Short mmCIF file of all heavy atoms in Angstrom, two decimals:
data_model
loop_
_atom_site.label_atom_id
_atom_site.label_comp_id
_atom_site.label_asym_id
_atom_site.label_seq_id
_atom_site.Cartn_x
_atom_site.Cartn_y
_atom_site.Cartn_z
N ILE O 1 -41.69 -122.06 -13.58
CA ILE O 1 -42.34 -123.30 -14.05
C ILE O 1 -41.32 -124.49 -13.85
O ILE O 1 -41.67 -125.52 -13.25
CB ILE O 1 -42.82 -123.20 -15.44
CG1 ILE O 1 -44.04 -122.26 -15.46
CG2 ILE O 1 -43.28 -124.60 -15.96
CD1 ILE O 1 -44.54 -121.99 -16.93
N LEU O 2 -40.10 -124.28 -14.38
CA LEU O 2 -39.13 -125.42 -14.29
C LEU O 2 -38.76 -125.66 -12.88
O LEU O 2 -38.62 -126.91 -12.50
CB LEU O 2 -37.95 -125.07 -15.17
CG LEU O 2 -38.26 -124.98 -16.71
CD1 LEU O 2 -36.95 -124.53 -17.41
CD2 LEU O 2 -38.81 -126.24 -17.17
N PHE O 3 -38.52 -124.68 -12.06
CA PHE O 3 -38.07 -124.96 -10.69
C PHE O 3 -39.19 -125.50 -9.83
O PHE O 3 -38.89 -126.35 -9.03
CB PHE O 3 -37.53 -123.65 -10.09
CG PHE O 3 -36.60 -123.94 -8.96
CD1 PHE O 3 -35.32 -124.56 -9.16
CD2 PHE O 3 -37.00 -123.72 -7.58
CE1 PHE O 3 -34.55 -124.76 -8.06
CE2 PHE O 3 -36.19 -123.96 -6.55
CZ PHE O 3 -34.92 -124.57 -6.74
N PHE O 4 -40.38 -125.09 -10.01
CA PHE O 4 -41.54 -125.72 -9.26
C PHE O 4 -41.71 -127.10 -9.69
O PHE O 4 -42.04 -128.04 -8.83
CB PHE O 4 -42.82 -124.92 -9.54
CG PHE O 4 -43.91 -125.42 -8.61
CD1 PHE O 4 -43.72 -125.83 -7.31
CD2 PHE O 4 -45.19 -125.55 -9.20
CE1 PHE O 4 -44.85 -126.24 -6.55
CE2 PHE O 4 -46.25 -125.91 -8.44
CZ PHE O 4 -46.14 -126.35 -7.12
N SER O 5 -41.43 -127.47 -11.01
CA SER O 5 -41.51 -128.83 -11.44
C SER O 5 -40.37 -129.68 -10.62
O SER O 5 -40.61 -130.78 -10.27
CB SER O 5 -41.19 -128.94 -12.91
OG SER O 5 -42.14 -128.23 -13.67
N PHE O 6 -39.17 -129.00 -10.56
CA PHE O 6 -38.12 -129.72 -9.79
C PHE O 6 -38.59 -129.97 -8.35
O PHE O 6 -38.28 -131.03 -7.83
CB PHE O 6 -36.85 -128.80 -9.75
CG PHE O 6 -35.85 -129.25 -8.74
CD1 PHE O 6 -35.07 -130.37 -8.83
CD2 PHE O 6 -35.75 -128.39 -7.63
CE1 PHE O 6 -34.16 -130.65 -7.85
CE2 PHE O 6 -34.81 -128.73 -6.62
CZ PHE O 6 -34.06 -129.93 -6.70
N ILE O 7 -39.18 -129.08 -7.71
CA ILE O 7 -39.67 -129.13 -6.34
C ILE O 7 -40.63 -130.35 -6.18
O ILE O 7 -40.60 -131.18 -5.31
CB ILE O 7 -40.33 -127.84 -5.85
CG1 ILE O 7 -39.36 -126.70 -5.76
CG2 ILE O 7 -41.17 -128.11 -4.59
CD1 ILE O 7 -38.40 -126.85 -4.60
N LEU O 8 -41.64 -130.46 -7.12
CA LEU O 8 -42.55 -131.50 -7.12
C LEU O 8 -41.92 -132.86 -7.33
O LEU O 8 -42.37 -133.86 -6.82
CB LEU O 8 -43.64 -131.23 -8.24
CG LEU O 8 -44.55 -130.06 -7.92
CD1 LEU O 8 -45.47 -129.78 -9.15
CD2 LEU O 8 -45.42 -130.33 -6.69
N ILE O 9 -40.85 -132.91 -8.27
CA ILE O 9 -40.28 -134.14 -8.58
C ILE O 9 -39.32 -134.62 -7.37
O ILE O 9 -39.33 -135.80 -7.02
CB ILE O 9 -39.46 -134.09 -9.85
CG1 ILE O 9 -40.40 -133.94 -11.05
CG2 ILE O 9 -38.44 -135.22 -10.02
CD1 ILE O 9 -39.67 -133.56 -12.35
N ASP O 10 -38.66 -133.69 -6.76
CA ASP O 10 -37.75 -133.95 -5.68
C ASP O 10 -38.47 -134.61 -4.53
O ASP O 10 -38.05 -135.64 -4.08
CB ASP O 10 -37.11 -132.68 -5.23
CG ASP O 10 -35.97 -132.89 -4.24
OD1 ASP O 10 -36.22 -133.58 -3.22
OD2 ASP O 10 -34.90 -132.39 -4.44
N ASN O 11 -39.65 -134.09 -4.10
CA ASN O 11 -40.50 -134.69 -3.13
C ASN O 11 -41.82 -134.20 -3.26
O ASN O 11 -42.14 -133.03 -2.89
CB ASN O 11 -39.88 -134.42 -1.76
CG ASN O 11 -40.67 -135.28 -0.65
OD1 ASN O 11 -41.68 -134.81 -0.17
ND2 ASN O 11 -40.14 -136.33 -0.23
N PHE O 12 -42.73 -134.98 -3.85
CA PHE O 12 -44.11 -134.53 -4.21
C PHE O 12 -44.90 -134.22 -2.90
O PHE O 12 -45.78 -133.32 -2.96
CB PHE O 12 -44.80 -135.70 -4.97
CG PHE O 12 -45.10 -136.92 -4.09
CD1 PHE O 12 -46.26 -137.04 -3.38
CD2 PHE O 12 -44.20 -137.91 -4.02
CE1 PHE O 12 -46.53 -138.18 -2.55
CE2 PHE O 12 -44.53 -139.07 -3.26
CZ PHE O 12 -45.68 -139.15 -2.53
N TYR O 13 -44.62 -134.70 -1.73
CA TYR O 13 -45.32 -134.52 -0.53
C TYR O 13 -45.11 -133.11 -0.06
O TYR O 13 -46.09 -132.41 0.19
CB TYR O 13 -44.92 -135.58 0.52
CG TYR O 13 -45.68 -135.54 1.81
CD1 TYR O 13 -47.00 -135.62 1.90
CD2 TYR O 13 -44.85 -135.42 3.03
CE1 TYR O 13 -47.65 -135.65 3.12
CE2 TYR O 13 -45.53 -135.43 4.22
CZ TYR O 13 -46.94 -135.52 4.30
OH TYR O 13 -47.64 -135.50 5.48
N ILE O 14 -43.87 -132.75 0.12
CA ILE O 14 -43.58 -131.34 0.58
C ILE O 14 -43.87 -130.39 -0.62
O ILE O 14 -44.34 -129.22 -0.33
CB ILE O 14 -42.10 -131.23 1.03
CG1 ILE O 14 -41.81 -132.21 2.15
CG2 ILE O 14 -41.78 -129.81 1.46
CD1 ILE O 14 -42.68 -131.94 3.44
N GLY O 15 -43.72 -130.84 -1.76
CA GLY O 15 -44.03 -130.02 -3.00
C GLY O 15 -45.53 -129.65 -2.94
O GLY O 15 -45.94 -128.51 -3.34
N TYR O 16 -46.48 -130.55 -2.53
CA TYR O 16 -47.84 -130.32 -2.46
C TYR O 16 -48.07 -129.20 -1.49
O TYR O 16 -48.83 -128.27 -1.73
CB TYR O 16 -48.53 -131.58 -2.09
CG TYR O 16 -50.00 -131.38 -1.46
CD1 TYR O 16 -50.97 -131.21 -2.26
CD2 TYR O 16 -50.12 -131.29 -0.02
CE1 TYR O 16 -52.31 -131.01 -1.82
CE2 TYR O 16 -51.44 -131.15 0.41
CZ TYR O 16 -52.47 -130.93 -0.47
OH TYR O 16 -53.73 -130.74 0.02
N MET O 17 -47.42 -129.21 -0.28
CA MET O 17 -47.62 -128.19 0.74
C MET O 17 -47.15 -126.88 0.22
O MET O 17 -47.82 -125.87 0.52
CB MET O 17 -46.85 -128.59 2.02
CG MET O 17 -47.25 -129.81 2.71
SD MET O 17 -46.19 -130.41 3.97
CE MET O 17 -46.79 -132.02 4.32
N ILE O 18 -46.05 -126.87 -0.47
CA ILE O 18 -45.53 -125.66 -1.07
C ILE O 18 -46.48 -125.06 -2.07
O ILE O 18 -46.71 -123.90 -2.13
CB ILE O 18 -44.13 -125.82 -1.66
CG1 ILE O 18 -43.09 -126.07 -0.51
CG2 ILE O 18 -43.71 -124.77 -2.61
CD1 ILE O 18 -41.69 -126.49 -1.03
N GLY O 19 -47.03 -126.01 -2.95
CA GLY O 19 -47.98 -125.51 -3.93
C GLY O 19 -49.16 -124.82 -3.34
O GLY O 19 -49.75 -123.85 -3.89
N LEU O 20 -49.68 -125.34 -2.19
CA LEU O 20 -50.82 -124.70 -1.47
C LEU O 20 -50.39 -123.24 -1.11
O LEU O 20 -51.37 -122.35 -1.04
CB LEU O 20 -51.17 -125.46 -0.28
CG LEU O 20 -51.97 -126.72 -0.40
CD1 LEU O 20 -52.29 -127.33 0.93
CD2 LEU O 20 -53.27 -126.55 -1.25
N SER O 21 -49.17 -122.93 -0.79
CA SER O 21 -48.81 -121.62 -0.27
C SER O 21 -48.58 -120.61 -1.46
O SER O 21 -48.65 -119.44 -1.23
CB SER O 21 -47.56 -121.74 0.54
OG SER O 21 -46.39 -121.92 -0.27
N LEU O 22 -48.28 -121.05 -2.64
CA LEU O 22 -47.83 -120.23 -3.70
C LEU O 22 -48.89 -119.18 -4.10
O LEU O 22 -48.54 -118.07 -4.37
CB LEU O 22 -47.37 -120.97 -4.94
CG LEU O 22 -46.09 -121.80 -4.62
CD1 LEU O 22 -45.76 -122.62 -5.95
CD2 LEU O 22 -44.89 -120.96 -4.24
N PRO O 23 -50.19 -119.50 -4.16
CA PRO O 23 -51.13 -118.38 -4.61
C PRO O 23 -51.16 -117.32 -3.58
O PRO O 23 -51.30 -116.12 -3.92
CB PRO O 23 -52.46 -119.19 -4.61
CG PRO O 23 -52.11 -120.59 -4.94
CD PRO O 23 -50.85 -120.85 -4.24
N LEU O 24 -51.03 -117.66 -2.24
CA LEU O 24 -50.95 -116.56 -1.22
C LEU O 24 -49.73 -115.75 -1.33
O LEU O 24 -49.80 -114.51 -1.23
CB LEU O 24 -51.01 -117.29 0.13
CG LEU O 24 -52.36 -117.73 0.71
CD1 LEU O 24 -52.24 -118.50 1.98
CD2 LEU O 24 -53.29 -116.56 0.87
N TRP O 25 -48.51 -116.41 -1.62
CA TRP O 25 -47.37 -115.62 -1.90
C TRP O 25 -47.48 -114.72 -3.05
O TRP O 25 -47.03 -113.59 -3.06
CB TRP O 25 -46.16 -116.56 -2.02
CG TRP O 25 -45.56 -117.07 -0.74
CD1 TRP O 25 -45.65 -118.32 -0.24
CD2 TRP O 25 -44.65 -116.34 0.17
NE1 TRP O 25 -44.90 -118.44 0.91
CE2 TRP O 25 -44.30 -117.18 1.17
CE3 TRP O 25 -44.20 -115.10 0.19
CZ2 TRP O 25 -43.49 -116.80 2.27
CZ3 TRP O 25 -43.42 -114.60 1.20
CH2 TRP O 25 -43.03 -115.53 2.24
N ALA O 26 -48.06 -115.27 -4.13
CA ALA O 26 -48.30 -114.43 -5.35
C ALA O 26 -49.15 -113.25 -5.13
O ALA O 26 -48.78 -112.12 -5.56
CB ALA O 26 -48.83 -115.32 -6.48
N LEU O 27 -50.24 -113.40 -4.40
CA LEU O 27 -51.00 -112.22 -3.98
C LEU O 27 -50.22 -111.23 -3.18
O LEU O 27 -50.37 -109.96 -3.37
CB LEU O 27 -52.25 -112.71 -3.20
CG LEU O 27 -53.39 -113.35 -3.97
CD1 LEU O 27 -54.42 -114.00 -3.04
CD2 LEU O 27 -54.14 -112.33 -4.86
N TRP O 28 -49.42 -111.72 -2.23
CA TRP O 28 -48.71 -110.80 -1.35
C TRP O 28 -47.63 -110.08 -2.15
O TRP O 28 -47.48 -108.82 -1.99
CB TRP O 28 -48.05 -111.58 -0.21
CG TRP O 28 -47.51 -110.80 0.87
CD1 TRP O 28 -48.22 -110.14 1.88
CD2 TRP O 28 -46.19 -110.38 1.05
NE1 TRP O 28 -47.28 -109.41 2.66
CE2 TRP O 28 -46.03 -109.54 2.19
CE3 TRP O 28 -44.94 -110.68 0.35
CZ2 TRP O 28 -44.84 -109.00 2.64
CZ3 TRP O 28 -43.76 -110.20 0.80
CH2 TRP O 28 -43.71 -109.33 1.94
N PHE O 29 -46.93 -110.81 -3.01
CA PHE O 29 -45.90 -110.12 -3.91
C PHE O 29 -46.52 -109.14 -4.79
O PHE O 29 -46.00 -108.00 -4.94
CB PHE O 29 -45.16 -111.18 -4.72
CG PHE O 29 -44.18 -112.08 -3.92
CD1 PHE O 29 -44.00 -113.32 -4.37
CD2 PHE O 29 -43.58 -111.63 -2.83
CE1 PHE O 29 -43.14 -114.20 -3.70
CE2 PHE O 29 -42.71 -112.41 -2.13
CZ PHE O 29 -42.48 -113.74 -2.57
N ALA O 30 -47.70 -109.47 -5.39
CA ALA O 30 -48.35 -108.59 -6.26
C ALA O 30 -48.79 -107.25 -5.56
O ALA O 30 -48.69 -106.16 -6.12
CB ALA O 30 -49.59 -109.24 -6.93
N SER O 31 -49.28 -107.40 -4.36
CA SER O 31 -49.65 -106.19 -3.55
C SER O 31 -48.43 -105.43 -3.23
O SER O 31 -48.47 -104.20 -3.13
CB SER O 31 -50.47 -106.57 -2.35
OG SER O 31 -49.59 -107.23 -1.36
N PHE O 32 -47.33 -106.06 -2.97
CA PHE O 32 -46.11 -105.36 -2.45
C PHE O 32 -45.47 -104.61 -3.57
O PHE O 32 -44.96 -103.46 -3.40
CB PHE O 32 -45.12 -106.39 -1.91
CG PHE O 32 -44.27 -105.86 -0.85
CD1 PHE O 32 -44.65 -105.84 0.47
CD2 PHE O 32 -43.01 -105.33 -1.11
CE1 PHE O 32 -43.82 -105.31 1.43
CE2 PHE O 32 -42.21 -104.80 -0.21
CZ PHE O 32 -42.59 -104.80 1.12
N VAL O 33 -45.49 -105.16 -4.81
CA VAL O 33 -44.90 -104.44 -5.92
C VAL O 33 -45.93 -103.61 -6.68
O VAL O 33 -45.58 -103.04 -7.77
CB VAL O 33 -44.18 -105.42 -6.90
CG1 VAL O 33 -43.02 -106.24 -6.23
CG2 VAL O 33 -45.18 -106.44 -7.54
N LYS O 34 -47.19 -103.56 -6.12
CA LYS O 34 -48.25 -102.81 -6.68
C LYS O 34 -48.47 -103.13 -8.17
O LYS O 34 -48.74 -102.26 -9.00
CB LYS O 34 -47.87 -101.24 -6.57
CG LYS O 34 -47.75 -100.72 -5.15
CD LYS O 34 -47.41 -99.25 -5.13
CE LYS O 34 -47.44 -98.73 -3.69
NZ LYS O 34 -46.52 -99.46 -2.75
N LYS O 35 -48.65 -104.46 -8.36
CA LYS O 35 -49.08 -104.97 -9.73
C LYS O 35 -50.12 -106.06 -9.50
O LYS O 35 -50.18 -107.00 -10.19
CB LYS O 35 -47.80 -105.52 -10.39
CG LYS O 35 -46.82 -104.48 -10.83
CD LYS O 35 -45.71 -105.05 -11.73
CE LYS O 35 -44.75 -103.92 -12.18
NZ LYS O 35 -43.67 -104.52 -13.09
N MET O 36 -51.09 -105.69 -8.65
CA MET O 36 -52.13 -106.60 -8.37
C MET O 36 -53.25 -106.63 -9.54
O MET O 36 -53.72 -105.48 -9.94
CB MET O 36 -52.85 -106.20 -7.00
CG MET O 36 -54.03 -107.08 -6.70
SD MET O 36 -53.59 -108.71 -6.08
CE MET O 36 -53.02 -108.26 -4.39
N SER O 37 -53.52 -107.79 -10.06
CA SER O 37 -54.58 -107.80 -11.04
C SER O 37 -55.06 -109.37 -11.05
O SER O 37 -54.24 -110.26 -10.84
CB SER O 37 -54.17 -107.39 -12.46
OG SER O 37 -53.22 -108.30 -12.99
N VAL O 38 -56.28 -109.55 -11.49
CA VAL O 38 -56.80 -110.92 -11.63
C VAL O 38 -55.99 -111.65 -12.74
O VAL O 38 -55.68 -112.90 -12.54
CB VAL O 38 -58.31 -110.92 -11.95
CG1 VAL O 38 -58.82 -112.29 -12.25
CG2 VAL O 38 -59.11 -110.27 -10.84
#
């Protein structure tokens, strides 16, 4: 939470693009570590 806040504060424009990608990364990580759940 704190580091993503830093990303958004550092440059909100690129931070927005990164934010769009994080749900996909979270899904991929969850499937990879076999801890997928809603």
Side-chain angles (χ1 to χ4, degrees):
I1 290 176
L2 294 178
F3 199 71
F4 185 41
S5 300
F6 161 76
I7 292 289
L8 292 171
I9 291 171
D10 191 306
N11 187 276
F12 68 90
Y13 183 56
I14 301 299
Y16 163 83
M17 299 175 191
I18 288 174
L20 285 182
S21 75
L22 293 180
L24 281 171
W25 277 106
L27 282 170
W28 192 80
F29 288 151
S31 71
F32 209 87
V33 299
K34 296 179 173 59
K35 291 189 176 181
M36 176 77 76
S37 70
V38 174

